[in-house]
């Protein structure tokens, strides 16, 4: 059985292991940097709602952040929610109410939304963190159904057909949004892409962004479904959000971290 097929078929049981490991990882998570109280909007993945991000938001609340749900029911894509204007306005409202820039944490398709919002309202954004998100435009030939061939793209098309909705054009529309966001956003806006080679939904190479002074990739060992419950992911998110405002330092693997986070030089390998 091909590796990608095996990863996809074992997503659910592996996600269970990610959740169960939280108990043994409690001492590790207790070392997470404390928050400074700034607002964080957490955006769920495709077909998921705010219930899926409850644990992540509770974790951030305990660290001292103002963790906000996205409050738009299930994430069925930008087309289903009528574009990004509502989400942009939600971020701007949080920005006005708190007087602080908002950090965005987007899981899977939620990471695509996070980048799209950051591109439209960059002045109100502190940083963007994506979890297993297909955020890198590729030259993959689009299929006849308009998808790019990823497991998530196929699921989006199936869901659209089940709801008698028009196909979701992930191959052109979404790629255009991502291309504009990644290329035209200020280099001063930190973007951290957290990804896993064991992701059975989104091919891990689709989550790699070009490294830079404020752009980074952080590899973890996790299933796709378990990214929001995985201890190493939670710690990495806390570490990124804990960076001083306007003084962002890239994630490091010194000390015990090198035992948990794979060496980034492996990215060039299969």
């Amino acid at each position: 059985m091909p590796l990608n097929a095996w990863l996809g078929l074992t997503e659910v049981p592996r996600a269970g292991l990610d959740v169960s490991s939280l108990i043994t990882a409690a001492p590790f998570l207790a070392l997470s940097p404390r928050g400074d109280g700034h607002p964080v909007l957490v955006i769920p993945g495709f077909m998921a709602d705010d219930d899926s991000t409850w644990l992540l938001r509770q974790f951030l609340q305990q660290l001292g952040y103002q963790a906000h749900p996205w409050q738009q029911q299930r994430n069925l894509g930008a087309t289903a929610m009528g574009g990004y204007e509502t989400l942009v306005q939600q971020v701007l409202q949080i920005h006005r109410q708190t007087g602080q820039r908002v950090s965005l944490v987007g899981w899977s398709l939620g990471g695509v939304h996070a980048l799209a919002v950051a591109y439209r309202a960059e002045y109100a954004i502190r940083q963007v963190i994506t979890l297993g998100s297909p955020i890198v435009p590729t030259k993959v030939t689009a299929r006849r159904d308009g998808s790019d061939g990823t497991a998530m793209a196929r699921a989006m098309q199936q869901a659209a057909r089940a709801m008698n909705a028009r196909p979701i054009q992930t191959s052109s529309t979404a790629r255009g949004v991502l291309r504009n966001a990644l290329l035209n956003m200020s280099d001063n806006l930190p973007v951290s892409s957290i990804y896993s080679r064991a992701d059975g939904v989104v091919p891990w190479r689709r989550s790699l962004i070009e490294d830079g002074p404020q752009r980074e990739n952080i590899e973890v060992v996790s299933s796709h479904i378990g990214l929001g419950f995985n201890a190493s992911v939670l710690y990495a998110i806390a570490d990124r959000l804990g960076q001083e405002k306007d003084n962002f330092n890239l994630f490091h693997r010194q000390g015990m971290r090198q035992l948990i986070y794979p060496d980034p030089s492996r990215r060039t390998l299969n």
Side-chain angles (χ1 to χ4, degrees), residues 24-58:
T24 56
F28 170 66
L29 290 177
L31 300 175
S32 300
R34 305 300 299 180
D36 61 2
H38 81 266
V40 181
L41 178 65
V42 183
I43 308 174
F46 176 63
M47 288 294 288
D49 56 20
D50 287 325
D51 289 343
S52 68
T53 65
W54 180 86
L55 187 147
L56 172 54
R57 286 184 284 111
Q58 288 299 306

Side-chain angles (χ1 to χ4, degrees), residues 103-155:
S103 287
L104 304 178
V105 178
W107 187 350
S108 194
L109 182 61
V112 176
H113 297 341
L115 284 169
V117 169
Y119 173 57
R120 288 163 170 76
E122 186 174 331
Y123 71 92
I125 306 301
R126 178 160 166 168
Q127 67 172 295
V128 177
I129 302 172
T130 64
L131 312 179
S133 299
I135 57 178
V136 179
T138 66
K139 297 181 180 179
V140 176
T141 302
R143 297 187 175 191
R144 292 182 180 180
D145 62 1
S147 78
D148 60 8
T150 65
M152 187 177 73
R154 293 192 295 273

Side-chain angles (χ1 to χ4, degrees), residues 6-25:
W6 182 87
L7 290 174
L9 290 173
T10 59
E11 267 288 324
V12 173
R14 289 189 295 115
L17 293 175
D18 290 323
V19 175
S20 62
S21 66
L22 284 174
I23 298 176
T24 56

Side-chain angles (χ1 to χ4, degrees), residues 219-231:
E219 183 179 351
V220 297
V221 179
S222 173
S223 64
H224 183 85
I225 298 175
L227 283 167
F229 312 100
N230 182 283

Side-chain angles (χ1 to χ4, degrees), residues 3-4 33 37 51 78 105 108 111 125 130 187 193-194 199 209 236 251:
L3 177 59
N4 59 343
D51 289 343
V105 178
S108 194
I125 306 301
T130 64
D187 291 336
S193 173
I194 299 176
D199 193 317
I209 60 177
F251 189 78

Side-chain angles (χ1 to χ4, degrees), residues 27-235:
F28 170 66
L29 290 177
L31 300 175
S32 300
R34 305 300 299 180
D36 61 2
H38 81 266
V40 181
L41 178 65
V42 183
I43 308 174
F46 176 63
M47 288 294 288
D49 56 20
D50 287 325
D51 289 343
S52 68
T53 65
W54 180 86
L55 187 147
L56 172 54
R57 286 184 284 111
Q58 288 299 306
F59 175 67
L60 296 179
Q61 285 283 161
Q62 291 178 5
L63 291 179
Y65 297 101
Q66 303 174 48
H68 295 264
W70 92 317
Q71 298 180 324
Q72 296 196 48
Q73 300 182 337
R74 292 192 181 278
N75 183 354
L76 300 177
T79 302
M81 64 183 181
Y84 288 110
E85 185 59 28
T86 300
L87 194 53
V88 169
Q89 289 304 316
Q90 181 182 1
V91 170
L92 293 180
Q93 182 178 14
I94 295 173
H95 174 58
R96 289 192 295 266
Q97 290 176 343
T98 63
Q100 300 182 76
R101 286 179 289 167
V102 184
S103 287
L104 304 178
V105 178
W107 187 350
S108 194
L109 182 61
V112 176
H113 297 341
L115 284 169
V117 169
Y119 173 57
R120 288 163 170 76
E122 186 174 331
Y123 71 92
I125 306 301
R126 178 160 166 168
Q127 67 172 295
V128 177
I129 302 172
T130 64
L131 312 179
S133 299
I135 57 178
V136 179
T138 66
K139 297 181 180 179
V140 176
T141 302
R143 297 187 175 191
R144 292 182 180 180
D145 62 1
S147 78
D148 60 8
T150 65
M152 187 177 73
R154 293 192 295 273
M156 291 172 71
Q157 303 308 324
Q158 292 169 1
R161 287 194 292 271
M163 295 182 292
N164 294 319
R166 60 181 177 176
I168 301 170
Q169 299 297 323
T170 59
S171 61
S172 56
T173 305
R175 288 181 192 172
V177 168
L178 294 171
R179 185 177 295 108
N180 285 334
L182 289 170
L183 294 181
N184 297 326
M185 283 193 308
S186 168
D187 291 336
N188 294 323
L189 179 65
V191 178
S192 301
S193 173
I194 299 176
Y195 71 98
S196 171
R197 289 175 184 243
D199 193 317
V201 178
V202 174
W204 64 271
R205 290 180 179 82
R206 292 290 310 277
S207 297
L208 296 183
I209 60 177
E210 185 175 352
D211 291 327
Q214 308 267 8
R215 303 277 174 92
E216 62 183 350
N217 300 285
I218 303 173
E219 183 179 351
V220 297
V221 179
S222 173
S223 64
H224 183 85
I225 298 175
L227 283 167
F229 312 100
N230 182 283
S232 62
V233 175
L234 295 180
Y235 182 87

